Amino acid sequence: MSDSEDMTEFASIVERIERGEVPIKNIERELICPICKELFTHPLILPCQHSVCHKCVKELLMLNHEDSFDAGSECSLPGSPRSRVPSPSMERLDRLVRSGSISSPGWRRGSVTPRVTAIPCPGCQHDIDLGERGISMLFRNFTLESIVERYRQAARAAVAIMCNICKPPQQEATKSCMDCKASYCNECFKLHHPWGTPKAQHEYVGPTTNFRPKVLMCPEHEMEKVNMYCEVCRRPVCHLCKLGGSHANHKVTSMGSAYKILKEKLAKSIHYLISKEDQVRTQITELEVLINKTEENGQLAERQANEHFERLFETLQERKSEMLRSIEQSRNRRMEQLRGQVEEYQGMLENSGLVGYAQEVLKETDQSCFVQTAKQLHVRIQKATESLRTFHPAADPCFDEFVLDTSREEMLLKEMCFGGVPDPPLIDLSNSRVYNEASICWRLSDDHLPTDHHMLEYRRLGGPGQSPSQEDGEDNGVWRATDRVYGPSTVVCDLEPDSLYSFRVRSCRNSMFSPYSPEVTFHTPPAPVFGFLFSDKCGFSTERLILNKRRDTVESVAGMAFLLAAERVQTGSYIGLDYIIGDTGISQGRHYWAFKVEPYSYMVKVGVASDTKLIEWFHNPRDTSSPRYDHDSGHDSGSEDACYELSQPFTLVTLGMGKLIIPKSSSTSSSSTANAQSADPGSRILPMPQRLGICLDYDACRVYFYDADTMRCLYERQVDCSGTMYPAFGLMGSGKVQLEEFLASKRLAF
């Protein structure tokens, strides 16, 4: 498509908008601030290209500053779980700072209440760092501001904009001057903007209340207009930004070219959307059919569910009637028996004249007459006496045999649901981490039904030097299950070091288990996890390094301090590294830690260093040094042959630009291999792993570097462990290092 066709197409699109075929009232949801949920007021463009109200950005900054202050106060409390006692070597470094004996410009003591310039974007949820200038570094979104103003005018079309110059009664305005920032009726405009005067050249538009500036100024250089577009950062810049600012090495284009390209792209996108109107209407019709089917099927499902429950209710009602009838029959029978016994004993009370009659018989003196009468009387009295002596109730008042246990039925009713066998979950490799403890995460399908619980199983496939087929140990090959898990993750403890483990998981619903997930394998590191955070005191350069609040991520930025230091850069010299170390040292045992270096990083050195070497580096900073001095080799490269196997109190490897550089003095294999590496520089270059692991064997005075995903050893070397060893990181230029969350999770008790 030619340029003329593009412009014709764009013009037709603009005409459709102006004709009202795309009414402005339909774009209201695009004009709402994601924070305050109101129309934008002075919107600012964040680096991620989302817009937020100016007042909302200020509120976010204030909120984050209060959170940071609270967190810092917590750290200072003696009873805080995050407070820690520095090791002697750390105290020694800190004393050097207080005494002023360390003169490195990068050595700064952390402030208790640092200035917070990072906010979370409400649109993409990413952390946005505004830099030292804060809000002043953000552009105002004048285009969005104008659209909001036009929307406001359309919404209150009945309310006219009045002339600001007329005396009462005011006339309705017909023009607004952007230079005078006022609205005029026709007569007042002619009066205040006469022909032949400078005011006649003012810019005027239709009646408006939004008098925005005519020119967009650079936020970094306030007196300069933006006249170029940075294609790397995707933002307007001025010529000073390109010459010596933060966009010096970026690809820029002219503002006119960027305007034309972006306008054509936007026009094509709008044209594509408009050309697909018929397709959208067809899809809307299909969706409406689906809505009707959904309504019908939902009502059918409700009727079927009601029928099932009605049948359950009928069955329960029948059983209820039968059991209540049994209880009633038993109760009536027992009542009759007990009432008969009461009547029998009541008769004894009513025959009390029998006793008196017997007493009168006893008065008879004629023996033959007495015997004749007393024999029958004695039988009657003896019978009454025996019934009193052997009293038993005719019925048992207890109804224990009618106690109803419904616990099993209640459990079945509670577990009743619509689903059958649940779908198997999938183990999430990107979020799972395995050390001497394993944090295994999994996810369910998007349309899964609720599950009762999950069961994770794991087995050990092999240890050091074993293949998966060599399952000769008691634990090898035997699946072990965890307790019931009610969430999407769990932790498995006490794993063997340097071993291969397999994991699988399944879900349970209504006592029905899903199939097992596909098995995944992880290799545990050769030593227990060493937990630490970045130290914000020893050698930390606040000018060139940015440390996040959690102290598990450090980022190097090439700012003004780097440019000022460039005056000392001459032929044969280079700018020194900015070092940062872990806040915990190692004085014995074997330890392992892992981290990620961002692929865009220019140069990052990682490894270990002793406290004595750190003091030397911080006390004698090398802003300019000989290029023959190489931290990786540990000695002057000119005398490499003479010092090839000397043990140094530090070992560092270099990562940058997506590569990992093996040091020249590599002792990973035989001397022939080492000589071959020295002869062939290409053999020292490896692809940068996604995660790098380091294992320090303090007692054996040896350090190992691993690909943390495959646990393949990339490089190992002898190191002098005569003092306390610290994880060390050196950054130059742009770069970022992030510690594994599993390393810092037990330390970050917020």
Side-chain angles (χ1 to χ4, degrees), residues 474-639:
E474 295 181 358
D475 296 336
N476 285 5
V478 178
W479 287 103
R480 289 185 288 175
T482 62
D483 295 333
R484 291 184 177 183
V485 181
Y486 297 95
S489 65
T490 188
V491 175
V492 180
C493 303
D494 300 328
L495 299 181
E496 295 293 332
D498 200 10
S499 299
L500 191 65
Y501 281 87
S502 181
F503 297 86
R504 66 185 185 184
V505 65
R506 59 177 178 169
S507 302
C508 178
R509 181 173 61 239
N510 297 339
S511 302
M512 300 181 66
F513 281 94
S514 72
Y516 284 105
S517 67
E519 294 183 27
V520 297
T521 57
F522 291 96
H523 200 294
T524 58
V529 170
F530 178 61
F532 67 91
L533 301 173
F534 288 118
S535 174
D536 57 355
K537 295 180 175 61
C538 298
F540 176 60
S541 171
T542 57
E543 297 177 352
R544 294 182 292 272
L545 296 182
I546 299 176
L547 191 62
N548 68 343
K549 185 170 64 174
R550 294 165 57 92
R551 290 200 291 122
D552 60 352
T553 300
V554 62
E555 186 173 3
S556 173
V557 292
M560 186 58 66
F562 190 89
L563 294 176
L564 294 176
E567 297 178 355
R568 299 191 293 274
V569 178
Q570 303 296 333
T571 303
S573 300
Y574 68 90
I575 298 296
L577 297 171
D578 293 312
Y579 281 100
I580 187 170
I581 63 175
D583 63 352
T584 307
I586 300 173
S587 57
Q588 63 179 357
R590 287 168 59 89
H591 304 274
Y592 175 88
W593 61 94
F595 50 88
K596 178 182 179 181
V597 176
E598 292 296 337
Y600 70 80
S601 302
Y602 176 68
M603 188 175 78
V604 179
K605 290 180 178 286
V606 297
V608 295
S610 67
D611 50 356
T612 56
K613 198 65 183 178
L614 291 172
I615 293 175
E616 176 186 339
W617 287 348
F618 297 149
H619 189 65
N620 300 307
R622 281 178 289 272
D623 286 342
T624 56
S625 302
S626 169
R628 295 168 59 84
Y629 185 88
D630 185 1
H631 283 322
D632 288 345
S633 61
H635 54 272
D636 191 310
S637 60
S639 57

Side-chain angles (χ1 to χ4, degrees), residues 686-734:
L686 302 176
M688 181 191 298
Q690 291 187 355
R691 299 184 302 123
L692 189 69
I694 298 179
C695 178
L696 175 63
D697 191 335
Y698 187 92
D699 300 330
C701 297
R702 204 157 188 85
V703 63
Y704 306 82
F705 296 83
Y706 292 90
D707 182 337
D709 290 324
T710 62
M711 291 311 299
R712 180 172 65 93
C713 185
L714 305 175
Y715 170 58
E716 63 175 286
R717 174 190 173 90
Q718 199 77 17
V719 63
D720 181 9
C721 296
S722 57
T724 302
M725 307 298 290
Y726 289 88
F729 304 83
L731 297 90
M732 186 172 76
S734 61

Side-chain angles (χ1 to χ4, degrees), residues 27-52:
I27 66 173
E28 179 178 353
R29 63 182 180 181
E30 302 292 336
L31 310 180
I32 300 297
C33 174
I35 297 180
C36 62
K37 305 302 181 183
E38 298 178 357
L39 291 176
F40 282 107
T41 305
H42 304 303
L44 302 178
I45 302 178
L46 300 177
C48 58
Q49 302 305 309
H50 291 101
S51 296
V52 182

